[in-house]
């Protein structure tokens, strides 16, 4: 799918959000607007969350064909806080296990007046495939597509960075870990290049190095300390063992921490006001030392909190695109 085809599919003729499949091809002001809107859904910890009736009478279906805690829970809460009915299909107990195709599953749920499908799948292209086959009044939100794309994660990461750095250009962002399999890093890289210019430094074990064609504005750095030096933002990534086929010759957890883990000593090379990010789930003392994950520069729980606000803003945007339907 090229950029203009994606743009046609995910935006209406008047440029509103119909589906969210990827950040690629979205305009800078469009992303800024989504981030601004999500601020409306923020609330102080300990205070009751924002609630409205924007999705009253609508039905949001969560279809997660891969495990999830953060994305699935936050889409469910986001939809409920906007008064939607929410269906979490238990895919392991669904008729998919009896051989029903994904499209027949979609058509079945669509016949029950589903308005939005939130889809996570291990195969590339599934959110787009569903988006091409649903009724014109149904939206598809990509909640994690293989190693390709995780657009709401990209948005929540941009929001978190903006909250600390005020803007989203001129930053040095270092991403460390399993870049080969990371849809989170790809969506962040796409978002940063739209909002930028930014310096994107990538660090990975050789066997987990990314295809650099996917990061036209990124630089692969061999030396982790050099990559962290002076960084504004550091994101660490877990090793996605579920995507590594066959017997892995990867190093032990301890060796990994020594070579690629974000330790307090390494973090001290970044700017003093650098923030530490992790999309989760995190493996403490593998890609990130426990004291760094819990330390004053960590914004990991803020990322989770922002995930809810971003998903509310995205749901509001897709329903706005078809007002009157
Ligand atoms: N970051 C993220 O996608 O987390 P989950 O797999 O828990 O949804």
């Amino acid at each position: 799918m090229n950029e203009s085809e994606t743009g046609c599919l995910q935006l209406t003729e008047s440029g509103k959000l119909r589906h969210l499949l990827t950040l690629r091809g979205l305009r800078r002001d469009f992303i800024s607007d989504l981030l601004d809107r999500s601020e409306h859904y923020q609330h102080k910890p300990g205070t009751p969350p924002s609630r409205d009736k924007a999705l009253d009478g609508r039905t949001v279906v969560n279809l997660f064909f891969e495990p999830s805690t953060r994305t699935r829970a936050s889409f469910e809460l986001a939809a409920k806080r906007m008064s939607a009915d929410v269906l979490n299909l238990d895919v392991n107990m669904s008729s998919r296990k009896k051989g029903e195709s994904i499209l027949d599953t979609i058509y079945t749920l669509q016949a029950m007046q589903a308005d939005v499908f939130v889809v996570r799948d291990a195969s590339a292209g599934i959110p787009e495939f569903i988006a091409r086959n649903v009724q014109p009044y149904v939206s598809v939100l990509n909640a994690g597509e293989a190693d390709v794309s995780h657009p709401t994660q990209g948005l929540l990461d941009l929001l978190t960075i903006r909250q600390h750095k005020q803007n989203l250009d001129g930053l040095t962002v270092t991403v460390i870990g399993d870049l080969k399999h990371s849809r989170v890093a790809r969506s962040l890289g796409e978002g940063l290049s739209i909002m930028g210019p930014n310096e994107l430094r990538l660090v990975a074990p050789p066997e987990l190095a990314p295809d650099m064609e996917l990061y036209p504005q990124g630089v692969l750095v061999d030396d982790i300390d050099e990559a962290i030096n002076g960084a504004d933002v550091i994101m660490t990534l877990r090793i996605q063992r579920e995507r590594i086929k066959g017997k892995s010759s990867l190093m032990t957890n301890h060796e990994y921490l020594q070579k690629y883990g974000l330790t307090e000593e390494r973090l001290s090379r970044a700017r003093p006001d650098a923030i530490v990010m992790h999309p989760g789930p995190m493996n403490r003392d593998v890609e990130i030392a426990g004291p760094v994950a819990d330390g004053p520069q960590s914004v990991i729980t803020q990322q989770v909190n922002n995930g809810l606000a971003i998903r509310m803003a995205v749901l509001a945007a897709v329903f706005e695109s078809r007002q009157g339907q």
Side-chain angles (χ1 to χ4, degrees), residues 162 173 182 185 267:
R162 193 178 78 167
V173 179
S182 182
L267 178 57

Side-chain angles (χ1 to χ4, degrees), residues 9 18-21 61 63 102-111 114-119 126-141 322:
L9 187 59
R18 159 98 195 278
H19 307 290
L20 181 60
L21 306 175
V61 178
L63 283 178
I102 191 157
L103 220 43
D104 282 329
T105 302
I106 294 290
Y107 292 153
T108 300
L109 296 166
Q110 193 174 248
D115 293 288
V116 176
F117 289 107
V118 178
V119 180
I126 292 294
E128 185 205 340
F129 174 67
I130 297 172
R132 287 194 183 283
N133 284 284
V134 289
Q135 293 289 345
Y137 47 81
V138 173
S139 294
V140 177
L141 305 179
R322 52 208 177 98

